[in-house]
Amino acid sequence: MTDNPILPHEIKQIVNDRESGSVALLNRLISALEKELYGYELDSSDLSLEGFHRLLAILGPKLGLFAAMENFLASVIKRIGHGSAFPGEALGFISDYRSYWEESPGKIADNFLRQINPEGRTILTHSHSQTVISLLDQLQQRNIPFRVFQTLSVPGGEGKLSHERLIRM
């Protein structure tokens, strides 16, 4: 990646994705940023500290509508590292964040189950949320019986995506 504001192809695909939820997009962004930083570390990328700052500044307005993205990007900006600490400090932070983030579906399910007993209940979902799909998947893995009503969510029809995912569960 050069220091100009042209987005790497993989990151451009994330920015233009209108079907995936914030969880999926954040997972993909973490991987894409790691690739960019590892490429720099291995000297196969011309990414600089200033270029990485610009990349994050461009991504903020494009992905900041998702709270998960906004929090992640703000956290990375605070922990980029300076001089010789770049990119190692940023890679370390992103790796730690990935570990934390990968555990979140189970933590969400645990918190949900502490507050609500969904056994035998009907759950209404609207639009599409990877977080909700992950929660329902966790409930199913724990053999908790429940029913789901999924709205279509017009005009975008995002509910169709959730419906397809629920059928595959």
Side-chain angles (χ1 to χ4, degrees):
M1 186 184 113
T2 61
D3 284 346
N4 65 28
I6 296 173
L7 295 176
H9 177 72
E10 190 172 351
I11 294 176
K12 194 180 296 184
Q13 287 181 320
I14 295 165
V15 168
N16 293 325
D17 186 332
R18 297 292 175 256
E19 293 183 8
S20 301
S22 59
V23 172
L25 291 175
L26 181 55
N27 285 331
R28 289 173 49 206
L29 180 62
I30 287 171
S31 294
L33 290 177
E34 282 178 324
K35 284 179 189 173
E36 288 295 316
L37 291 170
Y38 277 120
Y40 176 81
E41 193 172 61
L42 298 172
D43 219 15
S44 64
S45 170
D46 58 355
L47 178 68
S48 68
L49 177 60
E50 295 78 23
F52 193 64
H53 271 284
R54 279 195 291 282
L55 173 61
L56 295 175
I58 290 168
L59 291 176
K62 294 180 180 298
L63 298 172
L65 297 175
F66 296 108
M69 291 286 203
E70 183 179 22
N71 292 332
F72 171 71
L73 291 170
S75 297
V76 172
I77 288 169
K78 289 180 188 173
R79 293 168 183 88
I80 287 176
H82 302 283
S84 63
F86 179 80
E89 216 169 286
L91 278 167
F93 172 74
I94 291 172
S95 175
D96 290 345
Y97 200 96
R98 174 193 296 283
S99 296
Y100 172 79
W101 189 249
E102 286 174 345
E103 296 171 3
S104 64
K107 290 177 182 178
I108 291 168
D110 290 343
N111 289 335
F112 178 81
L113 290 171
R114 274 195 287 277
Q115 297 176 35
I116 297 170
N117 179 4
E119 192 167 332
R121 291 192 173 179
T122 300
I123 300 169
L124 173 66
T125 65
H126 177 71
S127 192
H128 176 70
S129 167
Q130 182 58 45
T131 301
V132 172
I133 296 295
S134 295
L135 169 64
L136 297 175
D137 186 50
Q138 287 284 318
L139 296 177
Q140 184 179 35
Q141 287 177 27
R142 297 172 191 208
N143 295 318
I144 298 171
F146 60 91
R147 282 186 344 170
V148 176
F149 286 154
Q150 172 65 53
T151 64
L152 179 59
S153 182
V154 291
E158 295 89 353
K160 288 180 184 178
L161 183 58
S162 283
H163 178 259
E164 291 168 9
R165 298 283 303 276
L166 289 167
I167 288 173
R168 290 190 299 235
M169 284 177 49

